[in-house]
Each structure stands twice: as C-alpha cells, then as structure tokens.
Amino acid sequence: MDFRHQSASLDTLAGQTCDALLVVLAGDRADAALDKVVRHALDDAIRHGDLELKRGKTLCLHRPQGIKAARLVFAACGEATPKSVKAAFAAGVAALKGGGTRHLAVALAGVDGVSAANAEALVTAVEDALYVYRHTKPSAPAAGALSKVTLLTDKASAKAVAQGLARGQAIAAGVTLARELANRPGNHCTPSHLGEQEKRLGKDFGLKVEVMDRKAIEKLGMGAFLAVAQGSAEPPRFIVAQYHGAPKTQAPVVLVGKGITFDTGGISIKPAAEMDEMKFDMGGAASVLGTLRAIAELKPKLNLVVLVPTTENMPGGRAVKPGDVVKSMSGQTIEILNTDAEGRLILCDALTYAERFKPACVVDVATLTGACVIALGHHHSGLFTADDKLAGDLLAASAASLDPCWRMPLDEEYDEALKSNFADMGNVGGRAGGSITAAMFLRKFTGKYRWAHLDIAGTAWKSGAAKGATGRPVPLLTHFVLSQAA
Ligand code: BES
Ligand code: MN
Ligand code: ZN
C-alpha cells in the first residue's frame, strides 16, 4: 500500500481527486471549516436521521452531488481521542472494503491538526483491515482494489504526519509478519520454519541471525528447554537475531519470545476442545520477530537482540513426565510437576542466555497462562516487573501505540507457591494467581539485569468467527524499543 500525505484545507474537499473521500468527524457538530458542498451533504444526512455525530456511526454516499470523489464516507468519532480517531479510520475503511476504491483520501475534521499518532493509526488501521490469510487457503478472497491512501493535512502538521506514516508502515509490516507466522498451522509453522523465516528476515535487512539446533542447545546446557523438546519428533531451534544501529559497546535491548509451535500440554495433556488454538502458542515469538522487522526498517540508533526458543510440546514415549527433575542452564534444578507449564521452561533458559549480552533491559513475551486470560480478558496484556521505571516505559509505549497492557503484582510472597521437596523449584504454583506465580518462576532467572514480562495469552489471537492472530504486542514493543534509543 502506498501511503502519502498532502496539505489541503478542509474547504477544498469537494474538489479532491480520489475514488473515495473519508471524512472523520470529531465533536458533536459539523466543523465550520468544511467546504460548502461536503457540509451540505453532511447536514442533510443528519437532518434526515441517516447519520448521528456519535462515536462508531458511519455513512457511505455514492456519487454525491458536487463532489469529485465517487464515494463520500463520513465516520463520526465523538471526542477526538487517539483511540476514537483510530476506530473511526477502521470503520471508514471497513465501509469501503471489497469495493472498487483504488485511491482513498482521508480528512480529519473538528480537530486542531493531524498528529503523528493519527497518521500512524491510519496506516495500522488500514493494514489491519485489509490483511487476509492465504498461505493454506487458496480460496481466500483476492486482494481488494485499494492501493493508495492519502492523508490530507494542514501545512503545520506535515512533518509530524510524515513521521507518523513511516512509523505506522513499519509497525504494520511487523504486525502482518507476526499475524502471518502465528496463523500458519502447526504442521507448517514448525521450529525449523521459524528459523528459516528469521534467516530470510536477516538477509532482507542485513541482520546477524544464528539458528541453533538440538546439539548446540545441548552444548549450552539448556536442560529445561530440552526437557520440553524431548517429546517431539520436530527438532527444536534456538534463534538469536541482532540489529545494530549503535556502536557494539552500547548495551542492547533484549526481547525474548515464547515459540511453542504447538502446545498439546505434553503428558499433562490438554482437553480436546479448542486445542487447535494452541498453534498460536508461538505468538510471543511471532511478536518479537515482527518487532525486529519494524525496528530494522526504522533504523533507530540502538542495539536490539531477539531470542526465540522454539519447540513443540508433545506427549510420547520420550516425553518428560510429571515429577521429572531437570537442570536449567542457570544451574537451578526444576521439578516439572505439570508438563503443560512448558512456556516458562523454555523461557528460563533463554533468559539465562540473555545475560551474555549485558543487556540494558530484557522483556520476554509469552502466551504463558490461561490464568492471565481469566484475570484480564482479551483487551489488556499482563505486565509483570519489579522495576518501576521499566513498567513506566512499557505503559507509556502501550498508551502511545493503542496496544493496551496492565501492570500486575509481583511481590515476593507469591514465591512460596513454587517450593519443591525435590528440586530448587517446582514449575507450577497452583491455581491461585497463576499468571503471577508463572512470572515469579521467570523472575528467578533474571537477577543479572532489568527485566519485564508480558503475558499475551488473552491478546495474541482471537477465537470464534474472527479466529486469527492479532499481531499484538508488536505496536507496544516497537514503541518501547524506540523509546529506549533516546
Ligand atoms: N499456552 C498455555 C497458556 C494458554 C492457555 C494460553 C489457554 C492461552 C489460552 C500454557 O502453556 C499453559 O498450558 N499454561 C497452563 C499453566 C498451568 C499448567 C499452571 C495453564 O494456563 O493452564
Ligand atoms: Mn502449556
Ligand atoms: Zn503453552
């Protein structure tokens, strides 16, 4: 998609050359600056009860009189918050989806100026609406006609808008990559497939990428990761990818993504219902790879390392059993009481591996616990950290990118639940506060650097009719990484 901006005042909208004109209307009355013809169409629609200037309302007019564009779409957003403006962009694009529009022009009425955030939101809303999964579905609908989107701005906003469009395009490409990887079924998106995709990304963007096999993982002593991998016929991989935008002496941000390409639960097997959705259990890995793509495109002056431990979690004659004790790379032993708590087992060794980069900070991202879904639902990702500054930076990135997350507690009292009579710790802590005890488990491997954990079990994908990966939290992570450059 070709995104551009053009300075044009609201009183020239009727003469805009485009196939469709989308006018987002903020506030509860028509902007006086709107040109006469558009304003007349708007007043008329409101008077006849076909449109209300309330959040979520849209109206699409075909061949409106006196207007050059063949279609005129109004999308009301109520109060002009970044979130409501983005929702109005999305509703406007949805109204045109599948139609003959090739060139869409977008104007914002009732605001003081178009912000970088508005421009970014337009791009991510458009790309989000147009994504179609095709990899294993030849009958999927063909791509629509839309190929060019022009955001109309006032002159003063042009520079900010250009930056917002560029950032939006990088983030959208990262989100699309994450969605694409996570949507691919478990028999396509295997650990080796993730390794190959990462190699390709490395080639495209000039990144250093290393993909380790089982032997190399054994050599590192990653006993917890290997315990999960031992039950599967698919070979595991450990992916290390590096972006250098600053001198090598500068401490990198490290992102770690859970890459379980299918989670059966192992010997502690899951119930059959909805088990197919456990192909999305590599959503953390997909999101850190998507973020790496976004960062590699934006080229900020910082260093970024992405770590992905990836394997299936399968039952079988070689699978790890409840009660087995394994030794992690850190030297700490773990009693595996439940083989379905496998995410923390692959992450803990990757978190130990992260130490060698002497990181500025480490953030791990994982579809870690059903308990997080119970606690927060499908809107907010869970944020766990003992570091208030890091929490603040992640919450700020979350707000700026409209990719919500919510801070959860992480007090030492929760540690009690992980005690074991046979190892340094157990891998589960009972039902109470399950997402917190999972984070407490990870915390035991992060003593040497600043660390935060994002539990995306409720936000990485959607179930039901709209089943599919969301690409979250690529927007949050990209904003966060960029914020660490300053
Ligand atoms: N991948 C799951 C977490 C999950 C479950 C994400 C449902 C999204 C929806 C994870 O590996 C898991 O199975 N966690 C267990 C932990 C338990 C055994 C302590 C869970 O949440 O039930
Ligand atoms: Mn599991
Ligand atoms: Zn899992």
Side-chain angles (χ1 to χ4, degrees):
M1 189 71 55
D2 179 8
F3 288 96
R4 321 174 164 213
H5 62 100
Q6 182 190 320
S7 51
S9 59
L10 291 174
D11 61 4
T12 63
L13 291 183
Q16 279 298 321
T17 319
C18 56
D19 298 313
L21 176 64
L22 167 60
V23 184
V24 169
L25 304 156
D28 54 7
R29 75 180 76 163
D31 192 326
L34 273 174
D35 80 33
K36 270 209 300 276
V37 189
V38 172
R39 177 108 201 232
H40 179 262
L42 177 60
D43 288 341
D44 204 48
I46 293 171
R47 192 158 0 96
H48 288 93
D50 293 330
L51 180 66
E52 268 181 295
L53 290 185
K54 279 193 182 148
R55 191 175 182 159
K57 302 281 182 191
T58 59
L59 180 69
C60 184
L61 304 172
H62 196 66
R63 298 234 171 265
Q65 236 180 29
I67 290 169
K68 216 163 169 191
R71 306 159 190 85
L72 174 61
V73 182
F74 292 118
C77 74
E79 198 195 334
T81 65
K83 183 169 150 181
S84 67
V85 170
K86 181 169 184 177
F89 287 148
V93 172
L96 293 164
K97 196 180 171 179
T101 300
R102 279 165 306 175
H103 178 199
L104 170 67
V106 181
L108 246 172
V111 297
D112 279 339
V114 185
S115 66
N118 293 150
E120 180 183 318
L122 174 65
V123 179
T124 51
V126 168
E127 295 290 7
D128 221 42
L130 298 187
Y131 170 80
V132 179
Y133 174 78
R134 303 177 196 284
H135 190 64
T136 51
K137 187 172 176 181
S139 62
L146 189 62
S147 63
K148 183 173 160 186
V149 178
T150 305
L151 179 55
L152 305 174
T153 69
D154 50 300
K155 274 217 178 66
S157 305
K159 199 169 160 215
V161 163
Q163 278 171 354
L165 290 178
R167 184 179 280 202
Q169 280 172 281
I171 290 173
V175 166
T176 300
L177 173 63
R179 292 179 80 177
E180 187 58 31
L181 289 174
N183 280 333
R184 290 184 184 189
N187 63 328
H188 286 247
C189 186
T190 59
S192 6
H193 179 78
L194 280 181
E196 285 157 21
Q197 294 291 309
E198 192 49 26
K199 281 267 181 199
R200 162 154 350 150
L201 191 67
K203 272 218 178 93
D204 291 350
F205 288 92
L207 308 171
K208 188 170 160 200
V209 178
E210 189 185 356
V211 179
M212 290 180 237
D213 62 7
R214 195 189 302 262
K215 255 214 181 112
I217 301 166
E218 275 166 5
K219 219 165 152 196
L220 286 168
M222 294 182 159
F225 178 12
L226 287 164
V228 178
Q230 77 189 42
S232 170
E234 280 293 337
R237 294 286 184 261
F238 185 56
I239 306 169
V240 182
Q242 306 188 42
Y243 161 81
H244 286 289
K248 298 230 160 121
T249 49
Q250 193 174 313
V253 174
V254 178
L255 300 178
V256 183
K258 171 179 172 183
I260 296 291
T261 58
F262 197 84
D263 183 10
T264 65
I267 298 297
S268 316
I269 199 160
K270 289 183 178 295
E274 275 123 50
M275 205 210 274
D276 66 288
E277 296 189 6
M278 283 299 120
K279 73 171 183 178
F280 296 119
D281 209 20
M282 34 61 73
S287 73
V288 298
L289 296 180
T291 302
L292 177 63
R293 197 204 179 285
I295 292 299
E297 188 171 319
L298 291 168
K299 297 193 175 60
K301 292 192 175 73
L302 55 82
N303 297 324
L304 173 65
V305 176
V306 162
L307 304 177
V308 172
T310 172
T311 175
E312 291 181 335
N313 183 24
M314 296 289 283
R318 291 179 193 282
V320 71
K321 305 172 295 299
D324 284 2
V325 174
V326 299
K327 190 169 178 180
S328 68
M329 186 180 177
S330 72
Q332 300 176 91
T333 57
I334 304 162
E335 184 184 15
I336 301 180
L337 291 160
N338 188 321
T339 66
D340 197 10
E342 85 297 340
R344 60 198 80 180
L345 295 173
I346 71 169
L347 288 169
C348 71
D349 282 340
L351 287 168
T352 299
Y353 186 87
E355 289 172 4
R356 68 184 57 199
F357 297 101
K358 301 199 169 48
C361 62
V362 178
V363 180
D364 79 74
V365 192
T367 50
L368 203 63
T369 64
C372 191
V373 189
I374 302 301
L376 294 176
H378 298 285
H379 187 54
H380 284 82
S381 304
L383 164 62
F384 303 78
T385 180
D387 186 318
D388 290 341
K389 168 78 168 67
L390 199 49
D393 287 356
L394 285 158
L395 288 167
S398 164
S401 60
L402 304 177
D403 188 355
C405 79
W406 193 262
R407 189 172 180 185
M408 299 279 282
L410 197 66
D411 306 76
E412 268 156 32
E413 282 78 0
Y414 291 97
D415 217 34
E416 192 64 28
L418 294 170
K419 290 211 161 119
S420 159
N421 290 346
F422 304 104
D424 294 330
M425 69 195 82
N427 77 326
V428 292
R431 276 167 54 80
S435 67
I436 307 168
T437 51
M440 284 308 286
F441 178 94
L442 297 176
R443 192 180 173 182
K444 293 174 180 297
F445 300 84
T446 61
K448 301 223 166 89
Y449 45 69
R450 303 173 65 211
W451 165 78
H453 157 64
L454 289 169
D455 193 331
I456 58 166
T459 54
W461 75 89
K462 289 181 177 153
S463 307
K467 192 190 285 182
T470 59
R472 289 180 62 187
V474 170
L476 186 167
L477 291 171
T478 306
H479 274 256
F480 169 72
V481 173
L482 291 173
S483 78
Q484 303 301 298

